[in-house]
Amino acid sequence: MDIDDILAEVTADAIPQEQKDLQQLTRSWVAERVAPELLAWPEELMERVLERIRKQIELVEDQTGNMDPKTNFKLIIIQTELERFKFLVRSFLRARLKKIDQHALHYKQQHEASQTTSTPLLSPNEYQYLTAHEALLSTHYTSSFLSQFPANLQRLDDTTGGVSMVDKPDEDAAVFVRALKDVGQIFVEGTEKKFEIRRGDVYVVRWSAIRRWVELGDLELI
Amino acid sequence: MALPLPPGLTPPEIAFLCEMELVTVIPRQRLEGLDLLGGNLRPLNPPHRTPLPLWLALLLKRQRRANMVPPPWLSQHSLEAILDYETEHDDVFSPPPRLPSAPSNNALAFSPPFLSSSTADAAADALPYHWLELGEMLLEAASDDFEDPDTMRKLLRGLREVRMAKLRKIVEKLDADGGVKMNGIGAMEIGEGRAFVGGVIDGLRKIAASREQQRKDRDRDEMENGFSGTADDDEMEMA
């Protein structure tokens, strides 16, 4: 650790948590809108952001009705910012819901596998939504046509013949990434492609080749 | 409830991101500090220059409560120099602004739109990530804060055309493997090119999928054999 590291740490500590959370929320939103796969639920970040939004709404409700033009203008600014935050959160959640709807069974399996780790894939609410929605769908399928099928063809997650019925997102889809740190050599599996990503570089690359570094926070999706 | 949009950001969403960029304003009215969700807002004291997020700066500007200070790169001299660079080098974009010193390992790394690459003390010689949106928005809302807004518009239009031509040329370099470097590309350009660039790479990949699968299997076999080989060697040495 040299003097630059120490200085960088001091300045990083001086940046208020609110500003860091805004950067992170923005990054999570862009990543979720762009990534072909559902990303892990940022639990602590969302807790902090939602708590702050709740407090800000209370403040706005408290102060509306105040006719003083000065306070009024302040309230306009606060409300504008509040709406921007609400948009970010809402769009983020809706992008996740879309992916959950598209590949429900796949994410259900993934979530159950990730539950023992420190970063579960879905929030409790999302998991509840997924299971309830899935239950409704399969009841509907059963009552409308599946029950007419022979018993061995009624499953929705069959894997006979080495082919899984559960649909997966395209993990090899091309994405745009920006390096926040030096990442080093990247190999694209199945090809001869090798290249080095340095801090600040922008690349178009397969999601499966760089997913690891996006999860670590060394690369960001753009 | 689920979002009906395809992957990628829409132009209004890119503009929304751009509105988080910091710009410098000269306030014309006093405003007390505010506790906002994205951090504290410093009090505005005319005529002291203050950096503000673009959305707030535009709000103040539209109500004639502030004037904008255009970023140094958004000037005739800088844009002309960058345009020259863009026309001379027909296979790379002009380099992005220099990055601030790297954060230490555990600190959060900041990236656009939070790098203050468009405040009054930003670099003059490079286009930031949100150059097109920011330029358009400033020229639309605050054209009276520019000396010669029409020349700016003309230069921005020129830049946009040269760079879009490059983006179209990059397609020749695309192949099934991906891994194409695009340093210096702007947010709006990614937004426009994403569906096409991504579609070409994904399409080529699907055509080459069976060959790739063969190669993957072969690599895996080689790796397994290789590992068992070295393991044997180790054992020999141990013995």
Side-chain angles (χ1 to χ4, degrees), chain A residues 75-92:
Chain A
L75 214 56
I76 290 175
I77 296 179
I78 289 177
Q79 268 178 320
T80 312
E81 206 225 8
L82 184 61
E83 288 307 319
R84 292 178 62 88
F85 258 78
K86 277 163 61 179
F87 169 79
L88 266 181
V89 172
R90 217 179 291 140
S91 181
F92 175 66

Side-chain angles (χ1 to χ4, degrees), chain B residues 33-96:
Chain B
L34 282 174
D35 281 335
L36 292 182
L37 291 168
N40 286 352
L41 184 68
R42 269 183 283 172
L44 300 182
N45 279 324
H48 291 290
R49 293 177 168 209
T50 319
L52 289 182
L54 180 62
W55 62 266
L56 181 54
L58 290 175
L59 186 83
L60 295 176
K61 173 73 195 172
R62 293 214 171 94
Q63 303 202 357
R64 299 209 197 112
R65 294 173 195 261
N67 281 77
M68 301 269 196
V69 185
W73 58 265
L74 196 54
S75 65
Q76 188 173 353
H77 179 74
S78 297
L79 289 183
E80 273 169 358
I82 297 170
L83 187 56
D84 282 346
Y85 184 96
E86 296 276 3
T87 21
E88 276 164 32
H89 301 72
D90 61 349
D91 53 346
V92 286
F93 294 112
S94 62

Side-chain angles (χ1 to χ4, degrees), chain A residues 1 4-5 8-9 12 15-16 18-24 26-27 29-30 33-36 49 52-53 56 59 70 73-74 76-78 80-85 87-88 90-91 94-95 97-99 101 129 170-176 178-181 188-193 195-196 199-206 217 220 222, chain B residues 1-10 13-17 19-20 29-41 55-56 59-60 63 65 96 99-114 129 174-185 190 193-194 197-198 201-202 205-206 211-212 215-216 219-220:
Chain A
M1 196 186 220
D4 277 349
D5 287 342
E9 216 154 81
I15 296 170
E18 284 88 355
Q19 219 170 318
K20 287 191 212 162
D21 285 352
L22 176 58
Q23 161 83 77
Q24 264 190 312
T26 313
R27 195 172 280 165
W29 172 63
V30 175
R33 291 282 282 108
V34 167
V49 169
R52 259 179 240 136
I53 290 182
Q56 200 80 325
L59 180 85
K70 236 182 180 173
F73 183 63
K74 274 201 265 179
I76 290 175
I77 296 179
I78 289 177
T80 312
E81 206 225 8
L82 184 61
E83 288 307 319
R84 292 178 62 88
F85 258 78
F87 169 79
L88 266 181
R90 217 179 291 140
S91 181
R94 291 181 66 194
L97 276 188
K98 179 192 176 190
K99 293 182 190 178
D101 277 354
Y129 166 80
D170 182 5
E171 291 174 348
D172 286 337
V175 291
F176 284 78
R178 175 168 39 218
L180 301 169
K181 289 178 189 160
V188 182
E189 205 194 344
T191 66
E192 305 204 345
K193 201 82 174 189
F195 49 90
E196 200 179 334
R199 180 163 175 258
D201 281 354
V202 174
Y203 270 93
V204 185
V205 65
R206 278 188 202 180
E220 71 169 334
I222 50 173
Chain B
M1 268 309 280
L3 206 60
L5 300 166
L9 300 177
T10 60
E13 285 173 331
I14 297 171
F16 174 83
L17 268 185
E19 282 173 350
M20 298 181 192
Q29 264 183 13
R30 215 169 253 286
L31 185 73
E32 289 163 41
L34 282 174
D35 281 335
L36 292 182
L37 291 168
N40 286 352
L41 184 68
W55 62 266
L56 181 54
L59 186 83
L60 295 176
Q63 303 202 357
R65 294 173 195 261
L99 291 164
S101 61
S104 58
N105 282 333
N106 47 7
L108 176 73
F110 276 76
S111 62
F114 301 103
Y129 182 58
L174 295 179
D175 55 20
D177 316 345
V180 184
K181 194 172 182 175
M182 293 201 180
N183 285 12
I185 194 171
I190 293 183
R194 187 192 312 272
V197 172
I201 295 180
D202 290 348
R205 192 192 75 227
K206 278 166 195 156
R211 199 170 53 215
E212 216 176 272
R215 210 190 129 90
K216 248 187 226 177
D219 282 357
R220 212 162 283 157

Side-chain angles (χ1 to χ4, degrees), chain B residues 220-234:
Chain B
R220 212 162 283 157
D221 285 351
E222 268 172 24
M223 197 111 95
E224 275 161 21
N225 295 338
F227 277 140
S228 58
T230 45
D232 284 345
D233 288 352
D234 285 349

